[in-house]
Amino acid sequence: MAAHGHAEQHHGGPVAAHEHHGAGKYIVGYIASLVLTAIAFWLALGHHMAGGPLALTLLILGGLQIVVQLFFFMHVTEGDGPPFHSVGLLLGLIFTFAIALMSIWIMSFHYQVQ
Amino acid sequence: MPDALRQFADTYLMWQEGPMIWISDVLILLTSIGIVATLTYFKKWKWLWREWLTTVDHKKIGIMYLIAALLMMFRGGADGLLMRTQLAAPGMHFLDAEHYDQIFTTHGTIMILFMAMPFIFALFNIVVPLQIGARDVAFPYLNAISFWLFFFGALLLNISFVFGGSPDAGWTSYPPLSELGFDNGPGENFYLLALQISGIGSIATGINFLVTILRMRAPGMTLMKMPLFTWSVLSACIMIIFAFPALTVALALLMLDRIVGTHFFTILQGGNPMMFINLFWIWGHPEVYIVVVPAFGVFSEVVATFARKRIFGYTSMVAALLSISVISYFVWAHHFFTMGAGADVNTFFAVATMAVGIPTGVKVFNWLFTMYRGRIRMTLPMLWTIAFVPCFVIGGATGVMLAVAPADYQYHNSYFLIAHFHQVLIGGVVFGMLAGMYYWWPKMFGFKLDERLGRWAFWFFNIGFYVCFMPQYALGFMGMQRRMYTYPADMGWGTLNFVSTIGAYLMGIGFIFIVAQVLYSIKYGERDLTGDPWDGRTLEWSLPSPVPHYNFAVIPTVTSRDYWWTLKEEGRTDEIKPKPEDIQPIHMPKNSGRPFLMGVLFFVAGLGFVFNWHVLAVLGLLGVVVTMLRRSFEYDDEYYIQPEEIQHVESALGRL
């Protein structure tokens, strides 16, 4: 579907290009993302850490989720053509950290009456 | 039985709300009967289904977006006029407070999400594939899904007015006001579900056009040979992809609060309402650039065409578009300077906000330098472009005033703010989209819109705009706050408000002229037989109007920026016409009814969640899953147009 028109003439059609993926990679990715989510939930619900380190740990776990998504589901390493995705990833990285870290920074004022 | 009926009418149809609801009911009923009767009388049901509802053709999807956007502009505009009527004099009783709240909420939501967004998507769809020499977008089927999700999202929000009750917590929907404790009607759920459903479509459109532009350009069209409108779409898509997930998360969490009973934004249980505001504006600020950047693209095309000069400072235009898309992520906290985050946070966001003015200023100067010593033709697209420049510059200047964090404590949520954002959104987005509509109309339909009626519309709308919004700056300084439904006479706001209301009605008359212009031009508009009515510069003008459904019989090989202009200058226009021996079978996607069905199912699920009818919600979502599964196992979704058919079409157009 992705490439009808002229782009499709370069390879043997969109279906053929993706046939070599087995289910294994997807299952590993699925389990990995489940495990990461479970750890995050366990840490947040069980009050196992202090606020600051907890936030940092959750950020790292969130970052790992992105990595799992990119490598196991989106196959970032297997593109043809110009490496647009590396620019996209860099931009995504900047935005993600800007949004996550700056939100913490903005919201760290004492909003609740103590 | 009558009791049950009465209860249904009171709860869901709101028959105790008074004549406004009754009139709307009657109008909706009459319009629906009219549409059904017309379609049946002219036996057009099959045509509607085959040619439009199931289409995956980017040009037709674009036209449907355009129609939807104009209809929504009418609804949003009518809301605006109702508000201005209520505020025309002190102590008015035209609307009560509750109705006023509902009307400003739907006005804002509709104008941003269901007018501006489909309007830019209309132009994305109609123009981008033609400008880059492609036969469709990268994912035509997904494109149809995007449209139908938008359509049924918009329908869900609009139906709230006559079924269950409109949302009334403002288009920003801040908790705690939008939480269950303060707002337990279904209106707020309508808002959340409608935005969520259409938001999925918007993200998909962003991905679709990003891939289309990066991967489907004609051979030879390097990134730096792309037309500026396409560049602006690329910039907008980057913002859509990164910004819309923040909205999705904010809406989903608020929905969980309201439906499941979580406490993400309720302060008593350790939640934090300001976090919603933070998330909302992480999306909300890029959103205003998402809608204005494509307008910048339109202006770049229009100025170059009608000044008959290549655009001044192409590279700096591209740099400006891309830097706007990046900086727009670092300004969001300026929407809540008064929250109390402290001087360091406010300083950072104030400086970042002012910095956005720099690339925008670069663009304004580039447009002016392009016009300088050009032979300007004052056509309708050019008129709107020229009107845009001073309007947007004033709007930008008042924006920089608002960006000064300490001063913002005075302006915050006053009519000064209202005047500012209407000036940039109307002056930027609406002017830009209208310019784009006039510019590409002949490409869509094969005839120009009438110039004389268009000028009437232009002057009414422009003069009306200044009469409406300039007094509001003053009202802001005089202390008038946004979202007040009435005000006492001794505040001294009466005169300016009255003037503002006159301006709003002038804009309304302008809109009526546009409608008249469209209707008149369908019959009498100047037909475009050349395919190049404006003496354009980019590839879409090398095609006949309207464009055959496969766009390019033979994909051209591009060698320069403004390639069509180069060909015309060098007298080589025949080179781009297809030669019979070059015509190959063209691979096209088949139409499908499933995107439409998917929209219906999302609508059903949405309605289920709105009223907590869980069975309906689950059934709707199950239906969505089934359609997705069916799609996954569909293999016969493409076909080839044979060379004989293409030759037939092309020779009928006189191009072979």
Side-chain angles (χ1 to χ4, degrees):
Chain A
M1 202 72 212
H4 72 280
H6 65 277
E8 176 240 339
Q9 287 151 14
H10 302 300
H11 54 83
V15 182
H18 294 287
E19 259 171 1
H20 56 274
H21 290 301
K25 217 174 168 183
Y26 294 100
I27 293 170
V28 174
Y30 182 57
I31 292 171
S33 58
L34 278 186
V35 169
L36 287 170
T37 312
I39 296 173
F41 257 103
W42 179 73
L43 286 175
L45 287 178
H47 301 286
H48 297 286
M49 293 168 94
L54 177 66
L56 191 68
T57 318
L58 291 180
L59 266 182
I60 293 169
L61 287 170
L64 286 175
Q65 287 275 16
I66 299 175
V67 175
V68 170
Q69 291 284 328
L70 288 174
F71 282 90
F72 290 95
F73 299 121
M74 295 182 170
H75 315 290
V76 279
T77 48
E78 310 164 18
D80 52 349
F84 292 122
H85 55 269
S86 40
V87 182
L89 283 179
L90 187 70
L91 210 56
L93 204 72
I94 294 172
F95 289 150
T96 310
F97 280 90
I99 287 168
L101 295 177
M102 285 169 84
S103 288
I104 293 174
W105 180 45
I106 295 169
M107 300 310 296
S108 62
F109 73 114
H110 296 290
Y111 62 92
Q112 268 175 323
V113 183
Q114 303 288 330
Chain B
M1 190 59 197
D3 267 357
L5 204 65
R6 180 179 209 106
Q7 208 202 338
F8 180 81
D10 285 346
T11 320
Y12 296 110
L13 302 180
M14 302 171 297
W15 277 15
Q16 292 177 330
E17 294 274 319
M20 229 151 69
I21 298 285
W22 304 336
I23 296 170
S24 309
D25 282 337
V26 171
L27 285 179
I28 289 171
L29 213 63
L30 285 179
T31 315
S32 310
I33 293 172
I35 292 170
V36 171
T38 315
L39 285 171
T40 313
Y41 183 77
F42 290 105
K43 299 199 173 67
K44 287 286 187 188
W45 283 103
K46 210 169 225 171
W47 165 83
L48 182 72
W49 177 256
R50 273 213 199 126
E51 297 288 320
W52 295 94
L53 302 190
T54 61
T55 190
V56 290
D57 180 347
H58 69 98
K59 299 179 286 296
K60 286 184 176 167
I61 291 175
I63 288 171
M64 291 194 287
Y65 269 122
L66 180 69
I67 295 169
L70 289 173
L71 285 174
M72 288 294 98
M73 194 190 262
F74 173 73
R75 160 98 208 254
D79 284 341
L81 288 184
L82 288 174
M83 284 190 284
R84 280 317 318 169
T85 309
Q86 163 67 18
L87 292 174
M92 287 272 277
H93 292 290
F94 175 63
L95 299 170
D96 60 35
E98 198 186 332
H99 286 159
Y100 189 82
D101 291 352
Q102 295 176 348
I103 288 171
F104 72 65
T105 302
T106 40
H107 170 76
T109 312
I110 284 178
M111 284 304 202
I112 290 284
L113 286 140
F114 300 122
M115 189 283 284
M117 289 303 278
F119 221 140
I120 66 163
F121 289 160
L123 295 188
F124 282 22
N125 270 287
I126 291 155
V127 181
V128 168
L130 302 180
Q131 269 197 338
I132 63 173
R135 292 209 167 102
D136 206 323
V137 294
F139 313 109
Y141 181 88
L142 183 66
N143 199 21
I145 294 180
S146 291
F147 173 76
W148 290 112
L149 290 189
F150 148 73
F151 180 88
F152 283 102
L155 193 65
L156 196 61
L157 187 89
N158 276 280
I159 211 167
S160 68
F161 183 54
V162 290
F163 191 75
S166 296
D168 55 2
W171 84 280
T172 50
S173 181
Y174 283 177
L177 181 60
S178 54
E179 290 279 1
L180 220 44
F182 298 95
D183 195 346
N184 58 7
E188 189 54 30
N189 291 351
F190 268 118
Y191 165 93
L192 291 170
L193 268 306
L195 264 61
Q196 198 70 286
I197 291 171
S198 65
I200 302 170
S202 299
I203 295 178
T205 303
I207 295 170
N208 213 337
F209 279 87
L210 187 81
V211 178
T212 305
I213 293 169
L214 289 182
R215 299 306 297 268
M216 295 184 65
R217 280 167 285 129
M221 184 181 276
T222 55
L223 285 175
M224 291 310 275
K225 288 199 182 89
M226 274 192 332
L228 276 172
F229 179 73
T230 303
W231 263 115
S232 74
V233 174
L234 185 71
S235 163
C237 287
I238 294 171
M239 292 189 273
I240 289 174
I241 292 171
F242 289 110
F244 263 84
L247 178 71
T248 305
V249 170
L251 296 177
L253 295 181
L254 186 56
M255 210 161 77
L256 287 175
D257 274 11
R258 289 181 61 90
I259 291 174
V260 186
T262 52
H263 291 282
F264 288 107
F265 305 125
T266 49
I267 212 158
L268 272 181
Q269 311 290 333
N272 185 350
M274 288 313 292
M275 198 55 184
F276 178 88
I277 296 168
N278 184 57
L279 284 171
F280 185 87
W281 288 113
I282 286 174
W283 162 78
H285 201 85
E287 165 67 13
V288 298
Y289 289 107
I290 289 168
V291 291
V292 84
V293 156
F296 291 169
V298 172
F299 296 133
S300 302
E301 301 290 339
V302 166
V303 162
T305 302
F306 295 106
R308 285 186 208 270
K309 282 173 69 185
R310 71 190 167 87
I311 196 86
F312 183 92
Y314 175 90
T315 319
S316 64
M317 286 297 223
V318 173
L321 284 172
L322 292 180
S323 52
I324 288 173
S325 74
V326 175
I327 303 174
S328 71
Y329 278 89
F330 298 90
V331 300
W332 78 86
H334 69 215
H335 292 271
F336 44 99
F337 275 150
T338 54
M339 175 179 78
D344 42 359
V345 171
N346 283 3
T347 310
F348 176 88
F349 284 96
V351 172
T353 306
M354 293 175 205
V356 183
I358 298 169
T360 318
V362 168
K363 297 188 75 67
V364 171
F365 279 110
N366 281 343
W367 289 315
L368 293 178
F369 289 141
T370 308
M371 285 187 244
Y372 179 67
R373 291 199 165 166
R375 288 193 182 179
I376 298 175
R377 286 172 290 163
M378 280 296 174
T379 54
L380 290 176
M382 193 64 192
L383 267 181
W384 287 96
T385 304
I386 287 181
F388 148 82
V389 173
C391 196
F392 201 76
V393 167
I394 301 171
T398 54
V400 175
M401 287 171 74
L402 283 158
V404 181
D408 183 67
Y409 276 72
Q410 294 300 317
Y411 311 135
H412 185 79
N413 271 357
S414 73
Y415 260 74
F416 186 85
L417 169 79
I418 303 296
H420 157 72
F421 75 66
H422 280 93
Q423 184 144 28
V424 280
L425 285 172
I426 294 178
V429 184
V430 176
F431 285 17
M433 291 303 111
L434 288 175
M437 181 182 86
Y438 286 126
Y439 184 57
W440 281 298
W441 188 279
K443 196 46 56 191
M444 290 180 243
F445 299 106
F447 61 88
K448 278 189 187 176
L449 286 172
D450 185 67
E451 192 86 16
R452 197 172 44 90
L453 284 169
R455 281 174 191 265
W456 280 100
F458 172 82
W459 287 110
F460 266 105
F461 202 90
N462 264 274
I463 295 171
F465 172 82
Y466 287 98
V467 176
C468 182
F469 290 104
M470 292 305 117
Q472 296 188 8
Y473 282 118
L475 283 169
F477 285 136
M478 291 160 78
M480 186 163 164
Q481 291 295 297
R482 79 193 289 195
R483 293 173 178 169
M484 334 178 48
Y485 89 103
T486 191
Y487 51 92
D490 56 7
M491 296 303 288
W493 300 340
T495 315
L496 285 174
N497 268 307
F498 189 70
V499 172
S500 177
T501 303
I502 293 174
Y505 276 93
L506 291 177
M507 291 168 81
I509 295 171
F511 183 80
I512 292 172
F513 268 107
I514 293 178
V515 175
Q517 180 193 19
V518 171
L519 296 177
Y520 177 84
S521 309
I522 289 175
K523 195 134 195 245
Y524 302 107
E526 183 192 333
R527 304 292 123 167
D528 168 31
L529 303 171
T530 60
D532 189 12
W534 309 116
D535 200 5
R537 312 177 69 83
T538 40
L539 270 184
E540 73 269 31
W541 305 110
S542 72
L543 295 168
S545 315
V547 181
H549 68 291
Y550 49 78
N551 296 355
F552 295 87
V554 174
I555 302 280
T557 303
V558 177
T559 53
S560 67
R561 200 180 291 160
D562 290 347
Y563 183 56
W564 176 237
W565 185 257
T566 312
L567 290 182
K568 285 197 283 191
E569 291 254 281
E570 297 173 1
R572 291 161 50 203
T573 48
D574 279 347
E575 283 178 26
I576 210 166
K577 289 191 177 150
K579 289 165 202 62
E581 64 271 19
D582 289 344
I583 294 178
Q584 305 283 327
I586 296 177
H587 192 198
M588 296 293 279
K590 274 188 185 167
N591 283 1
S592 170
R594 218 176 289 115
F596 178 79
L597 186 65
M598 211 169 188
V600 174
L601 290 164
F602 262 107
F603 180 81
V604 169
L607 212 58
F609 280 114
V610 166
F611 292 103
N612 285 311
W613 297 335
H614 298 299
V615 179
L616 197 66
V618 171
L619 283 178
L621 286 183
L622 270 180
V624 172
V625 172
V626 171
T627 52
M628 285 165 85
L629 281 176
R630 298 263 326 225
R631 170 65 182 171
S632 303
F633 295 101
E634 182 181 50
Y635 298 105
D636 178 31
D637 60 350
E638 292 149 343
Y639 71 104
Y640 283 91
I641 310 178
Q642 294 309 320
E644 298 79 54
E645 194 192 332
I646 303 163
Q647 286 189 12
H648 182 72
V649 174
E650 293 288 317
S651 49
L653 291 163
R655 290 167 58 83
L656 263 182

